[in-house]
């Protein structure tokens, strides 16, 4: 249902409480704005925390995941049979 909102002098709008509640948008939440030509679309957004790993950490994980000998051959054989 279309709603009329007023843009403040600072370019801000207030989303109606019923819309925020229905979409689960709370104060401080992130929304995504899409410019679709003559339309503006707002959608609830999600912030995902990103970890940055050092080259040393990645090398340790690679070493721990490395398959050797019979275990590696078993997996290679299993994958080869599926193709």
């Amino acid at each position: 249902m279309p709603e009329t909102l007023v843009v403040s002098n600072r370019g801000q709008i207030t989303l109606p409480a019923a819309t925020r509640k229905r979409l689960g948008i709370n104060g401080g939440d992130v929304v995504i704005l899409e410019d679709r030509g003559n339309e503006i679309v707002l959608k609830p957004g999600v912030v995902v925390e990103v970890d940055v790993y050092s080259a040393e950490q990645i090398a340790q994980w690679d070493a721990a995941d490395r398959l050797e000998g019979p275990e590696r051959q078993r997996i290679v054989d299993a994958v080869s049979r599926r193709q």
Side-chain angles (χ1 to χ4, degrees), residues 62 65-81:
D62 284 345
D65 289 342
R66 191 165 292 121
L67 297 173
E68 303 285 336
E71 180 67 8
R72 182 179 188 288
Q73 191 58 51
R74 183 185 67 76
I75 292 172
V76 169
D77 292 344
V79 171
S80 297
R81 282 192 297 268

Side-chain angles (χ1 to χ4, degrees), residues 6-50:
V6 177
V7 179
S8 75
N9 291 337
R10 294 182 59 196
Q12 298 171 322
I13 60 171
T14 300
L15 299 176
T19 300
R20 291 192 317 264
K21 184 175 181 178
R22 184 173 56 79
L23 296 174
I25 298 172
N26 298 304
D29 284 356
V30 173
V31 294
I32 298 168
L33 181 141
E34 288 184 18
D35 179 348
R36 295 186 181 173
N38 292 330
E39 294 181 322
I40 296 172
V41 177
L42 290 176
K43 299 188 281 188
V46 176
V47 175
V48 178
E49 191 171 319
V50 176

